[in-house]
Amino acid sequence: MSSVQIARYIVSFSWLYHGIFPKLVHIAPFEKLMTASIGFSEEASYFITKAAGVGEVLFGLLIFVYYRSKLLLFFNILALCGLLLFVAILQPSLLIEAFNPVTTNIAIIGLSLILLADLNQSKNGDNAQV
């Protein structure tokens, strides 16, 4: 299996997993903490968390299928940076916990950069063959 396929599977799996388990199957305490930080009611927080889970699952599927889309990969990196900033502003103490958003998001951003580098290399290689 190529490094590109490994990166593709891990990036898409990460979005799928984070959408399904801590948001759709069972709302994790971290998720409750984040929406409570904004000031949403329990009912609104539940709906927002479930909607975020559906969005993450859809995004994971999009990444899996369209992993060769530069726009989607750029959006992925931007979303991961935004989510990290969101945590840093609302719950900065979470950034020093085990298995925190820093280590997760930076790793997924790195794998996304591998996918982008492959796209650029493929594009340059195609031009060289013409």
Side-chain angles (χ1 to χ4, degrees):
M1 183 179 316
S2 72
S3 59
V4 169
Q5 291 306 313
I6 293 169
R8 170 193 183 195
Y9 295 145
I10 292 173
V11 172
S12 59
F13 171 79
S14 179
W15 282 104
L16 291 167
Y17 185 90
H18 285 264
I20 294 169
F21 293 103
K23 293 181 184 75
L24 295 176
V25 172
H26 169 76
I27 296 179
F30 166 76
E31 301 298 337
K32 288 180 182 178
L33 181 64
M34 292 304 297
T35 52
S37 298
I38 302 171
F40 289 110
S41 69
E42 179 112 8
E43 188 176 305
S45 179
Y46 177 85
F47 176 75
I48 290 167
T49 302
K50 293 295 183 177
V54 170
E56 288 181 10
V57 167
L58 292 174
F59 194 70
L61 293 172
L62 284 172
I63 290 283
F64 184 79
V65 174
Y66 300 107
Y67 70 101
R68 301 201 55 80
S69 165
K70 279 187 180 182
L71 182 62
L72 188 60
L73 291 171
F74 281 128
F75 183 72
N76 178 52
I77 292 168
L78 183 65
L80 290 166
C81 290
L83 289 169
L84 187 55
L85 185 62
F86 181 71
V87 172
I89 291 169
L90 294 178
Q91 292 296 325
S93 63
L94 294 174
L95 299 178
I96 59 170
E97 295 293 328
F99 305 106
N100 63 62
V102 174
T103 57
T104 304
N105 289 26
I106 289 175
I108 301 303
I109 289 168
L111 292 169
S112 300
L113 292 172
I114 289 171
L115 293 171
L116 282 171
D118 180 69
L119 286 176
N120 289 333
Q121 186 178 24
S122 296
K123 181 182 175 185
N124 292 336
D126 290 344
N127 291 339
Q129 293 175 358
V130 173

